């Protein structure tokens, strides 16, 4: 029997989800904000699958990302401690990017999300199509 003060969630999880909570400093929100952009997950997957990559290798593997956006994405991932950047004093300069241990621990979760997306994308697309047919067109 579960007591009046017991929950099915671990105490740390419960504490962050029970209002009032600090939405600005919410750990889940802060982490999801990083991965809500268009490129971060893709960069992590590429580095996880291929190991160390140079900037141009990443850019070529992604294809449709601008140099500026890739730079911003890599800097953000580096600032969060998910990617390391190593510059070699050569001519021309060589810079390699690699996942940190923390990002390596995140990789299995991202891969599970990719599996889920692959398994459900057709149904999601069909739902979107049906929803668009029911919804009035917006100017």
């Amino acid at each position: 029997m579960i007591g009046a003060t017991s929950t099915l969630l671990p105490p740390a999880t419960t504490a962050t989800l029970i209002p009032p909570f600090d939405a600005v400093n919410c750990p889940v929100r802060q982490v999801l904000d990083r991965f809500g952009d268009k490129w971060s997950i893709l960069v992590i997957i590429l580095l996880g699958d291929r190991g160390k990559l140079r900037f141009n290798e990443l850019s070529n593997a992604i294809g449709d990302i601008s140099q500026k956006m890739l730079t911003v994405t890599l800097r953000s991932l580096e600032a969060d401690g998910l990617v390391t950047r190593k510059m070699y004093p050569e001519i021309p300069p060589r810079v390699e990017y690699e996942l940190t241990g923390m990002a390596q621990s995140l990789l299995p979760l991202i891969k599970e999300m990719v599996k889920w997306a692959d398994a459900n994308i057709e149904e999601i697309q069909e739902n979107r199509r049906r929803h668009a047919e029911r919804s009035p067109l917006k100017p």
Side-chain angles (χ1 to χ4, degrees):
M1 180 172 166
I2 298 176
T5 59
S6 298
T7 66
L8 298 176
L9 296 174
T13 303
T14 305
T16 60
L17 298 177
I18 295 175
F21 62 93
D22 183 355
V24 174
N25 295 311
C26 174
V28 173
R29 187 174 185 180
Q30 289 183 32
V31 170
L32 290 179
D33 281 348
R34 164 65 57 235
F35 303 122
D37 70 41
K38 188 174 179 179
W39 304 110
S40 293
I41 295 287
L42 185 54
V43 168
I44 290 171
I45 290 169
L46 283 168
L47 289 172
D49 286 347
R50 300 184 186 179
K52 290 180 190 174
L53 289 174
R54 295 172 74 170
F55 185 91
N56 284 338
E57 292 171 323
L58 275 166
S59 180
N60 291 338
I62 295 170
D64 61 342
I65 189 171
S66 69
Q67 285 190 337
K68 179 180 179 181
M69 196 67 240
L70 181 55
T71 299
V72 167
T73 300
L74 288 166
R75 285 182 182 164
S76 296
L77 292 170
E78 184 181 11
D80 285 351
L82 298 170
V83 169
T84 59
R85 177 182 187 269
K86 185 170 183 181
M87 186 171 190
Y88 296 88
E90 302 172 353
I91 305 291
R94 177 171 51 113
V95 180
E96 293 178 337
Y97 297 90
E98 185 174 21
L99 294 182
T100 64
M102 184 169 54
Q104 290 288 349
S105 73
L106 176 64
L107 203 52
L109 301 172
I110 291 173
K111 287 183 176 185
E112 284 301 313
M113 185 174 63
V114 169
K115 284 182 197 174
W116 183 90
D118 286 342
N120 291 284
I121 189 61
E122 288 179 14
E123 183 176 351
I124 290 168
Q125 289 172 336
E126 178 60 22
N127 289 335
R128 288 176 180 171
R129 185 192 60 74
R130 283 197 310 264
H131 182 267
E133 289 174 355
R134 290 189 315 263
S135 299
L137 296 176
K138 295 181 181 180

